[in-house]
Amino acid sequence: MKYEKELVFATDLAKEAGSIIAANFGDGSPTQWKEDNTPVTQTDKDVNALTIRKVQETFPEDGVLGEEASYATDRTRLWVVDPIDGTQAFDLGAPTATYCLALVEDGKVKLGVVYDPFNKQLYTAVQGQGAFLNGKPIHVSDTDSLAQSYVVLSSRSIEGYKKTGEIHDAVVEAGGKPFNFRSIVYGYMRVASGQASVAAAGYLKPWDYAAAKVIAEEAGAMITDFAGQAREYDQVGNGIVVSNGHVHQEFLRLIGK
């Protein structure tokens, strides 16, 4: 299997990182704030540093692009890490945060791992080889309407589209059930596993999207920006919508002004 060594590395690292995240969950540490007004914890920094160290030890020719720290980002192969997607949830004691790690080669995502350490749910995918949850294949749902389906939203929309509150209200009017996990990757994985029909977020960063992208695609998801255009892992300025495909156009029409 192509990327077998990389997948074993990524899954082992995700579990190690998850153990650190779970061990420090709800420890009462004071919240720190970055210049962009987003919270960061010591656990974010420690897990990011662990990822860089492990990549340097195992794949010394590769680089790392991380939310809290990076290393040799100009290299052909790049590991993209979000040490805790959902830092706000983690900081507040809500168990919906995830560890995200992707392997990018020549600008394309080849492998992704997302780990929920609280429920011990490990999502994995290698391009062209399917998506899995704890080793079992997953696939998006066949729901063909927003009505009576879950729609995962983030806290921010983007300029030119409905604001998050307006999207929330529009989903309710369409008969859907909006939800916010404070980790958009957690929501993207719910789409990939068939539990939600769509998840959307504006103003992402590459580490918010890279691992989720390949897992969701391998599970059969449709992924575009808010305007309906396909985007690579680092093209996230116009938001990212992940859906089961059947409700994608309905949701895009809903979020438009």
Side-chain angles (χ1 to χ4, degrees):
M1 182 181 75
K2 194 172 183 181
Y3 298 109
E4 182 174 5
K5 178 181 178 181
E6 289 85 349
L7 182 60
V8 170
F9 167 79
T11 55
D12 287 347
L13 177 52
K15 291 177 181 177
E16 184 175 352
S19 295
I20 296 171
I21 294 169
N24 291 287
F25 181 64
D27 64 0
S29 299
T31 304
Q32 304 173 52
W33 294 90
K34 295 189 284 190
E35 290 184 1
D36 63 359
N37 200 38
T38 58
V40 62
T41 68
Q42 187 60 47
T43 305
D44 288 273
K45 298 175 183 179
D46 291 346
V47 171
N48 203 125
L50 168 70
T51 303
I52 291 176
R53 185 171 71 253
K54 290 291 186 178
V55 170
Q56 290 175 325
E57 291 172 356
T58 309
F59 300 104
E61 301 303 314
D62 297 357
V64 176
L65 174 64
E67 181 170 11
E68 309 307 335
S70 300
Y71 167 76
T73 57
D74 59 342
R75 294 187 175 174
T76 300
R77 295 209 329 172
L78 197 61
W79 293 88
V80 182
V81 60
D82 192 341
I84 303 179
D85 185 83
T87 297
Q88 294 179 51
F90 173 82
D91 202 25
L92 288 169
T96 56
T98 57
Y99 172 81
C100 309
L101 183 65
L103 174 61
V104 174
E105 193 169 73
D106 295 320
K108 305 291 185 181
V109 183
K110 299 299 183 180
L111 175 156
V113 170
V114 170
Y115 187 49
D116 165 9
F118 309 106
N119 295 300
K120 292 183 171 52
Q121 293 182 322
L122 180 68
Y123 298 85
T124 61
V126 174
Q127 187 181 51
Q129 298 178 30
F132 301 86
L133 170 56
N134 292 341
K136 296 181 179 179
I138 55 174
H139 200 273
V140 297
S141 74
D142 57 5
T143 301
D144 59 6
S145 172
L146 292 178
Q148 298 184 341
S149 69
Y150 287 108
V151 175
V152 181
L153 303 175
S154 71
S155 56
R156 298 180 68 191
S157 182
I158 59 175
E159 186 176 350
Y161 295 85
K162 285 187 176 72
K163 294 180 180 179
T164 300
E166 294 173 321
I167 296 174
H168 179 284
D169 292 345
V171 168
V172 172
E173 290 175 7
K177 296 297 180 184
F179 206 87
N180 188 337
F181 291 109
R182 305 304 301 187
S183 162
I184 192 57
V185 174
Y186 200 93
Y188 288 154
M189 292 303 96
R190 290 302 182 269
V191 175
S193 59
Q195 295 171 293
S197 62
V198 60
Y203 297 108
L204 298 174
K205 298 293 185 180
W207 44 80
D208 300 315
Y209 177 44
K213 180 181 189 294
V214 65
I215 296 170
E217 285 178 338
E218 289 297 314
M222 178 179 288
I223 306 176
T224 71
D225 65 10
F226 278 30
Q229 301 299 310
R231 295 297 182 187
E232 295 299 335
Y233 84 98
D234 54 350
Q235 299 172 324
V236 291
N238 204 37
I240 294 295
V241 178
V242 176
S243 83
N244 66 3
H246 304 292
V247 302
H248 205 89
Q249 295 305 317
E250 181 184 359
F251 184 78
L252 291 182
R253 288 192 297 271
L254 180 150
I255 66 177
K257 284 289 190 182

